[in-house]
Amino acid sequence: MAKHTIVVMPGDGIGNQVLPEAIRILDAVGFEAEYVHADIGWECWIKEGNALPERTIELLRQHKIGLFGAITSKPKKEAEAELSPALRGKGCQYFSPIVSMRQKFNLDVCMRPCLSFPGNPLNFIRKKPSGGFEEPKVDVVVFRQNTEGLYAGVEWSNPAPQVREALRTHPKFKLFESVAGEDLAISVRIITRPAARRICEAAFRHARKFGYKTVTICEKPNVLRETSGLMEEVAKEVQKQYSDIPLWSTNIDAQTMWLTKNPEDYGVIVASNLFGDVISDAFAGLVGGLGFAASGNIGDDVAVFEPTHGSAPKYAELDPPIVNPIAMILSAAMMLDHIGEQSKAEKVRTAIAAVVGEGKVRTYDMLRISGGARSLAQGAASTPQMTDAILEQLGAGVESAYAGSGRN
Ligand code: NAI
Ligand code: MG
């Protein structure tokens, strides 16, 4: 019997194209698993009025590990218009299935590695003062708190009188007291100590396990004195158990400015929800963008791994598909790390590094050409061709110049 059962949720659009490619790679590294398909996404919304059906939640509850492709979501009016006629007017409300999944299973630790593969034409390069260019190696892992902060969902337009009354207890609200209800929108930024502790502990644990030299807390405690202040306070407390790993503290605004100045200096970065979202996209942009951006949503009990990209509907119907499967395959490698199959995960990353390094097989995004059926005629590899190239590296056991993730 296979050791693991993986819940496979391809979802919508290109999710269906990239997820099977990741499974080809998992098979090739000898990962023994049984895969159970689970429905999620737009089709479920249209037919059932729920993008995350209970049966999918049950499968995740049972098997604990999920691989997820991508979903489509649409604005409120379109969502209602596409709902099957029998369900219209029955009070169905669209909720993002990813957000629901994170809340249901308290997948509060979001992990996003941003690793540059030498030879990737999309890597960030920097001009040297002496002329010429250099390509700093980026190896950053962002730990983003996934369930609270500004995305907690506690927000109002035209807040009720009791809300205004409560806000009036704060002296700073005086400035806004006379603003008319219809002109006022409020989102609450909530940070709890236990969740702050969990994300900071996850960051330090990862730094130690994978040999990163620093952890950076990226917040704004000089202005957001309460919430960012609490994040920083907790990070300092957690660091006390990791005397060998210094804690750096940066402000989110300055960090984005420094992003291109010295990205190679950073290792693990930890941040609250919105800041983590921003800084992880920013670092992902230095190492190839959406075609390379993998992530994991990790809770105590359940973990779901997914590429950062969405369903890219405009490419969903192309046959053969053209999108880059690497983000999905790297997400599958993160899953391997998570379940203790680190050497298989390293094999996958080494094979990807070899293909990228060789530069013979590149999807359209890596060629910086526009996507579409035409891109293949312009020399781009298709989705399965990229996987084939990675498989070839795995099969051939070719030694690559890439010696695992070198640490900063
Ligand atoms: P998207 O990530 O689907 O695509 C944006 C563009 O990035 C694509 O048009 C394509 O040019 C490029 N791209 C994305 N993945 C790629 C890949 N693997 N290889 C090469 N190029 C790639 O974002 P967009 O267009 O904003 O959203 C489309 C749908 O996806 C929407 O319904 C949105 O709500 C949903 N979405 C879902 C996410 C998820 O499932 N986690 C995340 C982001 C968006
Ligand atoms: Mg995002």
Side-chain angles (χ1 to χ4, degrees):
M1 209 176 84
K3 217 162 117 200
H4 299 280
T5 302
I6 310 296
V7 181
V8 171
M9 299 167 280
D12 301 311
I14 63 165
N16 294 288
Q17 301 174 338
V18 292
L19 212 159
E21 303 297 319
I23 293 178
R24 291 173 69 201
I25 299 290
L26 289 171
D27 287 346
V29 292
F31 178 58
E32 282 177 41
E34 202 176 303
Y35 297 97
V36 289
H37 171 91
D39 297 326
I40 193 168
W42 201 245
E43 284 298 307
C44 298
W45 163 250
I46 293 175
K47 291 189 193 137
E48 304 170 38
N50 180 5
L52 180 65
E54 194 53 42
R55 58 185 181 281
T56 297
I57 295 170
E58 199 38 57
L59 283 172
L60 280 168
R61 194 171 283 138
Q62 194 181 340
H63 301 299
K64 320 279 189 219
I65 304 285
L67 267 184
F68 168 56
I71 49 96
T72 295
S73 66
K74 297 184 188 179
K76 203 171 162 191
K77 277 199 180 131
E78 276 174 69
E80 271 163 29
E82 289 189 30
L83 199 54
S84 95
L87 291 169
R88 273 179 227 156
K90 297 245 165 84
C92 297
Q93 248 193 321
Y94 181 85
F95 291 110
S96 157
I98 313 166
V99 176
S100 304
M101 215 153 40
R102 287 174 188 157
Q103 288 169 345
K104 270 252 145 52
F105 295 111
N106 193 29
L107 307 179
D108 63 334
V109 172
C110 175
M111 194 183 148
R112 285 189 56 180
C114 303
L115 174 68
S116 58
F117 291 106
N120 185 350
L122 303 176
N123 283 346
F124 166 69
I125 57 166
R126 190 169 51 200
K127 206 166 181 178
K128 289 199 283 193
S130 54
F133 294 90
E134 59 192 348
E135 189 177 312
K137 177 160 180 68
V138 179
D139 184 2
V140 161
V141 186
V142 178
F143 279 79
R144 159 189 169 193
Q145 207 295 326
N146 223 7
T147 48
E148 35 183 72
L150 255 182
Y151 295 176
V154 181
E155 48 183 12
W156 302 269
S157 292
N158 197 356
Q162 311 90 292
V163 175
R164 294 186 78 119
E165 202 177 309
L167 289 169
R168 267 200 292 275
T169 62
H170 197 291
K172 294 271 188 203
F173 193 67
K174 256 204 156 32
L175 262 178
F176 307 99
E177 229 168 12
S178 59
V179 178
E182 62 271 26
D183 296 334
L184 188 61
I186 296 173
S187 301
V188 181
R189 188 176 202 248
I190 300 175
I191 304 284
T192 66
R193 191 181 294 275
R197 178 167 276 282
R198 277 175 54 84
I199 193 73
C200 291
E201 282 175 346
F204 274 98
R205 254 197 322 271
H206 189 83
R208 169 152 300 156
K209 184 170 172 193
F210 291 92
Y212 288 91
K213 295 208 178 86
T214 58
V215 171
T216 301
I217 173 93
C218 180
E219 283 290 322
K220 186 83 182 176
N222 53 338
V223 178
L224 299 168
R225 306 180 83 83
E226 304 304 326
T227 46
S228 285
L230 179 57
M231 282 292 290
E232 195 186 40
E233 179 190 321
V234 171
K236 283 182 180 162
E237 271 168 30
V238 172
Q239 192 273 336
K240 289 185 187 146
Q241 297 147 41
Y242 294 85
S243 55
D244 53 323
I245 306 173
L247 175 73
W248 295 352
S249 183
T250 58
N251 285 338
I252 178 70
D253 48 349
Q255 179 72 72
T256 45
M257 183 176 66
W258 294 330
L259 185 75
T260 51
K261 188 170 151 259
N262 56 342
E264 68 273 38
D265 289 348
Y266 298 95
V268 169
I269 295 187
V270 58
S272 56
N273 211 336
L274 170 64
F275 293 170
D277 199 6
V278 169
I279 205 65
S280 58
D281 269 11
F283 271 101
L286 302 182
V287 301
L290 288 176
F292 287 84
S295 76
N297 304 280
I298 301 163
D300 269 342
D301 200 31
V302 171
V304 176
F305 298 86
E306 52 159 334
T308 304
H309 63 72
S311 60
K314 64 181 177 185
Y315 301 141
E317 302 303 324
L318 292 181
D319 186 15
I322 60 152
V323 294
N324 192 344
I326 289 179
M328 181 78 237
I329 295 169
L330 286 171
S331 306
M334 288 179 75
M335 178 193 78
L336 291 174
D337 280 331
H338 180 76
I339 58 185
E341 297 275 13
Q342 222 176 301
S343 68
K344 292 188 173 74
E346 264 317 298
K347 268 191 204 163
V348 174
R349 286 187 284 263
T350 304
I352 291 172
V355 172
V356 174
E358 233 176 53
K360 282 197 267 186
V361 179
R362 287 173 170 165
T363 43
Y364 82 92
D365 52 318
M366 298 172 76
L367 293 175
R368 294 187 186 278
I369 58 175
S370 47
R374 256 181 333 122
S375 54
L376 299 182
Q378 291 171 276
S382 67
T383 308
Q385 280 170 342
M386 174 53 89
T387 315
D388 290 345
I390 300 167
L391 286 173
E392 201 176 309
Q393 287 295 336
L394 286 169
V398 175
E399 288 287 324
S400 98
Y402 171 80
S405 5
R407 296 294 165 234
N408 62 347

